[in-house]
Amino acid sequence: MSEKLTCRIEPADAPTSASPDKVPTNGPSAADATGTQSTAAQPSGDAAQPASGPEPTAQPGAFARASHWLDETFPNSRNAVLGGVTGLVVALLLFAIGVLKTLVIAILVVVGVACGQYLDGDPKIVRFVQSLMKKR
């Protein structure tokens, strides 16, 4: 018979700042021993804020970091590098899964991008296909 063991980790309470009318205590006070509650030891709704220092800034995502790296490493040839990486991915797909499956993936990606552009209100691919289908 196997037993399932679960563990829950909860964050520690944030330190509170000391105000002149409230003095934090490190343990039970004499008033607590007599049965009355001390207001200084009770955290209030505002006490969850950190005592000092600015909030940490959000770190940029992976796409933003990669974009920044591309701009620094290849200052005037960003599109050439992206085209090379795309070519490498297509070549690996061709060798790994074959021509027909790679072609199906490419068509589905283009259809997905076209749907996204259409929902964004800028259907460039749809207009391009419509211009190819026009009778001249």
Side-chain angles (χ1 to χ4, degrees):
M1 200 160 82
S2 65
E3 294 182 25
K4 185 175 180 181
L5 179 64
T6 59
C7 180
R8 182 174 176 185
I9 300 173
E10 295 181 10
D13 292 336
T16 60
S17 60
S19 61
D21 55 329
K22 292 185 180 181
V23 179
T25 60
N26 291 336
S29 64
D32 290 339
T34 61
T36 60
Q37 293 183 355
S38 171
T39 58
Q42 299 295 327
S44 66
D46 297 332
Q49 300 293 331
S52 63
E55 299 253 344
T57 58
Q59 296 296 322
F63 182 76
R65 288 188 305 239
S67 177
H68 181 69
W69 178 81
L70 274 174
D71 288 341
E72 284 185 351
T73 309
F74 307 102
N76 294 323
S77 52
R78 175 187 176 113
N79 291 330
V81 171
L82 290 176
V85 169
T86 303
L88 176 66
V89 169
V90 169
L92 291 173
L93 283 173
L94 284 171
F95 286 123
I97 63 175
V99 175
L100 186 62
K101 290 180 182 177
T102 302
L103 186 61
V104 168
I105 290 172
I107 290 171
L108 291 174
V109 167
V110 170
V111 167
V113 169
C115 290
Q117 287 179 348
Y118 185 78
L119 292 174
D120 286 341
D122 187 25
K124 294 176 186 174
I125 294 176
V126 173
R127 277 189 255 129
F128 176 72
V129 171
Q130 286 174 344
S131 71
L132 290 178
M133 298 290 190
K134 278 186 180 177
K135 292 183 181 179
R136 295 182 187 223

